[in-house]
Amino acid sequence: MTLPPLVLGLESSCDDTAAALVRGRDVLSSVVMGQNALHSDFGGVVPEIAARAHAERLDTAVKQALSEADVRLTQVDAIAVTSGPGLIGGVLSGVMVAKGLSIGLRKPLIGVNHLAGHALTPRLTDDLAYPYLMLLVSGGHCQFLIARGPQDFTRLGGTIDDAPGEAFDKTARLLGLAQPGGPSVEAEARKGDEKRFRFPRPLLDRAGCDMSFSGLKTALLRQRDALVADQGGLTEQDRADLCAGFQAAVRDVLSEKTRRALALYLEEAPESPAIAIAGGVAANQSIRAALQTLCDDQAVRFTAPPLRLCTDNAAMIAYAGSELFAAGVTHDMSLSARPRWPLDQKAAPLLGSGKKGAKA
Ligand code: KG4
Ligand code: ZN
């Protein structure tokens, strides 16, 4: 029996420098070098700092991935790299390293869409068959996609402004909590009363699956300022209640929009009732639980890959690269970095571009 090709994946589209080796559905190694410390003084990812760090660290990440997988560079059959969407400097760093490796090793080069990497992850982790509905929720992305193949996606809707992870991060900043905001807001919310402050549920009154999260931070800011004006500051309980109210609003919007997206999806693919989530926000227990309940009620399979493969990583890029390679897709040295690259080329562009780059 011939082995599936050994694919080296590179990811550098935002603030994680990552390299991984994947053979078929086996992740032999997955190295993720985060950059939180480099950006923490600036309240967000600084594209130039990120790009420089990627350029400096990609070779270290590759060496580490090879060593953890116990393989030599010459054994690699193909090189897959995120060639968009994302912060242009970072994407360029990855593409240049991948081109160098491809020329040096005389092995095929495969440019991968970062969003496809996320969207195909449940096939890597759970062998999910096409088609399925995908909800991508992270610091940079928020969209519903029908996945039919490695290059065949239909977008049903997405955020028109901030991604939910961005809203969690901004909330944390407004309340003086640690970054990344998601885990700290979730921890506070566990101690809070979600009913004390009522936050808006944006766009629920509008048909369809588009979402908006930027108004939530304004509502939170107003509430916080009102408390400060009243009491001269925030108590521990105020903070917890604000977090709980905010998280409940995000959860309610995501679950109602998921209900609608599922209905649209099931009309098209009743034979394959399955939804998967990916992205950092998929780590949120309250959001996960709400989506799980929704799916249980409708006898829909719910897949949430393990967190290390839900957040940005290179194993998903290597895996998506393998699917493309199997479909005969390779690129030559004209492969370019694409800051914007929607998965569904036919869908109307969504508005907005967040701190982590274009929403695509
Ligand atoms: O997928 P990811 O690692 O990077 C991209 O944005 O592509 O997602 C990171 C985002 C951050 O905004 C972070 O605050 C959020 O995911 N996040 C969470 C949780 N853990 C991470 N949001 C809500 N609840 C969490 N437990
Ligand atoms: Zn991502």
Side-chain angles (χ1 to χ4, degrees):
M1 201 180 76
T2 52
L3 282 173
L6 177 65
V7 181
L8 168 66
L10 301 178
E11 157 62 35
S12 56
S13 65
C14 186
D15 58 348
D16 290 305
T17 311
L21 284 149
V22 168
R23 192 190 281 285
R25 295 180 51 240
D26 273 345
V27 178
L28 306 185
S29 62
S30 176
V31 174
V32 179
M33 300 163 77
Q35 300 182 359
N36 276 345
L38 296 179
H39 304 286
S40 60
D41 287 347
F42 303 96
V45 177
V46 184
E48 290 75 13
I49 294 177
R52 180 175 291 262
H54 289 308
E56 286 170 1
R57 296 172 175 185
L58 271 161
D59 60 342
T60 311
V62 171
K63 276 187 203 142
Q64 200 176 321
L66 289 165
S67 137
E68 285 179 21
D70 197 18
V71 299
R72 289 186 313 279
L73 197 51
T74 47
Q75 291 173 275
V76 167
D77 295 310
I79 296 118
V81 61
T82 300
S83 53
L87 300 172
I88 184 75
V91 178
L92 263 173
S93 306
V95 168
M96 298 313 283
V97 169
K99 283 183 180 174
L101 286 169
S102 166
I103 293 176
L105 296 168
R106 293 198 191 86
K107 294 289 164 65
L109 172 71
I110 305 153
V112 173
N113 183 309
H114 176 86
L115 302 173
H118 280 302
L120 299 190
T121 301
R123 290 176 53 72
L124 166 66
T125 58
D126 294 81
D127 206 8
L128 197 59
Y130 293 121
Y132 55 89
L133 180 64
M134 179 79 210
L135 168 58
L136 211 59
V137 264
S138 71
H141 334 290
C142 182
Q143 49 189 299
F144 292 105
L145 296 160
I146 300 178
R148 294 193 189 82
Q151 297 187 100
D152 187 357
F153 299 96
T154 304
R155 199 184 64 220
L156 298 178
T159 184
I160 58 167
D161 42 50
D162 287 357
E166 244 173 314
F168 270 95
D169 294 341
K170 285 176 183 165
T171 294
R173 216 165 295 129
L174 290 173
L175 297 176
L177 302 170
Q179 293 293 326
S184 22
V185 170
E186 182 175 16
E188 285 296 313
R190 235 176 259 129
K191 300 178 266 174
D193 170 10
E194 68 174 56
K195 299 219 164 57
R196 178 166 162 216
F197 301 108
R198 175 79 191 166
F199 289 100
R201 269 65 175 160
L203 297 193
L204 282 198
D205 55 345
R206 210 193 282 175
C209 304
D210 283 344
M211 291 162 280
S212 160
F213 295 98
S214 73
L216 275 177
K217 67 167 187 295
T218 317
L220 186 115
L221 178 65
R222 238 183 266 127
Q223 199 59 257
R224 181 200 71 175
D225 289 350
L227 287 167
V228 171
D230 252 21
Q231 318 166 162
L234 292 182
T235 65
E236 282 295 303
Q237 196 56 51
D238 292 338
R239 213 170 260 124
D241 294 342
L242 286 168
C243 286
F246 163 82
Q247 181 175 275
V250 176
R251 178 201 65 209
D252 288 354
V253 170
L254 285 174
S255 61
E256 172 55 21
K257 294 288 178 170
T258 302
R259 197 183 59 71
R260 294 183 198 176
L262 258 178
L264 288 174
Y265 166 74
L266 290 172
E267 263 173 40
E268 278 203 27
E271 75 291 352
S272 186
I275 178 170
I277 55 171
V281 181
N284 188 286
Q285 294 301 324
S286 156
I287 293 170
R288 259 182 200 245
L291 298 182
Q292 177 82 61
T293 307
L294 181 82
C295 290
D296 290 349
D297 288 349
Q298 301 192 38
V300 167
R301 178 176 174 188
F302 176 71
T303 305
L307 191 61
R308 65 178 197 290
L309 294 173
C310 262
T311 52
D312 285 353
N313 67 85
M316 68 180 190
I317 302 303
Y319 176 76
S322 326
E323 280 210 23
L324 290 169
F325 194 39
V329 177
T330 59
H331 296 102
D332 60 21
M333 290 302 128
S334 66
L335 177 69
S336 56
R338 298 174 67 175
R340 280 190 183 258
W341 183 7
L343 272 182
D344 179 350
Q345 311 269 352
K346 295 180 294 297
L350 289 168
L351 300 172
S353 170
K355 75 178 162 64
K356 293 190 169 183
K359 288 292 180 300

